[in-house]
Amino acid sequence: MNGSDISKADSASGPARRRSDATRTAILDAARERFAADGYERTTIRAIAKDAGIDPSMVMRYYGNKEGLFAAAVSVDLRLPDLTALPRADVGHALVTHFLTLWEENEQLTALLRVGATHQAGAERMRGVFRDQLLPVASAVCPDPEQVPARAALCATQLLGLALTRYVLRLPPTVALHREEITAWLAPTVQRYLTAPHP
């Protein structure tokens, strides 16, 4: 194949590649919305395909099955702050405000929490996020390295409990709280879990 043949092949594949990318994007956007709204069990490939305006076979072609689609759609980067760059007394406040912003701006986290509570695929994804993202942050400020897993887990109980009641179950008193109130209540607890001496 000479140079002109290659350039013709590239130009011919360009529109097809763009259509493929657009289809993948439409599928993933629809999947995130469905998983967030309906949870894992009630979400179907057929419903996602309908939302994306494509045939269900296209979803299967790109992602294989629902579990593969979930893994592709719900990839979570918590973008946690560098706590070592903050005064030690501010780490609880920084984490709570960071998580509030994340939950309110990222529907993937809501989807992950819904699915993690009811399905093994979601639970495994949440364990991976805890292991790979929250543990290293906790280890940066925890006074005893051996206590890092327990302290990080205690932080998770507060942050995930807040997310569950505010963004998934939508308990009216929790939804009604202003962000400043939530931070004022939760930040001292998260601070204590991370930095206080062992009780």
Side-chain angles (χ1 to χ4, degrees), residues 100 104 161-179 181-182:
L100 279 169
E104 292 178 3
L162 168 67
L164 180 66
T165 56
R166 184 174 172 87
Y167 304 112
V168 177
L169 300 177
R170 299 191 61 80
L171 298 182
T174 312
V175 173
L177 287 170
H178 296 293
R179 287 184 52 160
E181 292 179 277
I182 294 171

Side-chain angles (χ1 to χ4, degrees), residues 53-104:
I54 60 172
D55 189 88
S57 64
M58 294 296 289
V59 180
M60 306 299 283
R61 172 184 168 190
Y62 286 123
Y63 299 104
N65 54 31
K66 187 164 73 170
E67 190 163 319
L69 176 58
F70 177 77
V74 186
S75 59
V76 175
D77 179 2
L78 298 179
R79 305 188 307 277
L80 293 171
D82 177 8
L83 298 185
T84 61
L86 301 172
R88 189 176 180 82
D90 294 344
V91 297
H93 184 275
L95 274 183
V96 172
T97 56
H98 180 77
F99 269 92
L100 279 169
T101 299
L102 276 182
W103 286 110
E104 292 178 3

Side-chain angles (χ1 to χ4, degrees), residues 72-141:
V74 186
S75 59
V76 175
D77 179 2
L78 298 179
R79 305 188 307 277
L80 293 171
D82 177 8
L83 298 185
T84 61
L86 301 172
R88 189 176 180 82
D90 294 344
V91 297
H93 184 275
L95 274 183
V96 172
T97 56
H98 180 77
F99 269 92
L100 279 169
T101 299
L102 276 182
W103 286 110
E104 292 178 3
E105 294 180 354
N106 189 341
E107 68 181 15
Q108 292 186 57
L109 290 175
T110 304
L112 183 59
L113 185 58
R114 284 181 181 276
V115 176
T118 59
H119 193 272
Q120 183 60 30
E124 181 55 39
R125 181 60 61 89
M126 291 185 73
R127 285 192 287 268
V129 170
F130 173 82
R131 179 187 64 244
D132 299 335
Q133 299 184 49
L134 189 56
L135 278 180
V137 169
S139 69
V141 295

Side-chain angles (χ1 to χ4, degrees), residues 95-96 130 134-135 138 142 147-162 186 189-199:
L95 274 183
V96 172
F130 173 82
L134 189 56
L135 278 180
C142 179
Q147 295 171 2
V148 167
R151 288 173 181 253
L154 288 168
C155 287
T157 66
Q158 298 298 308
L159 298 169
L160 292 178
L162 168 67
L186 247 60
T189 300
V190 172
Q191 179 78 33
R192 180 169 60 87
Y193 285 155
L194 287 174
T195 63
H198 192 283

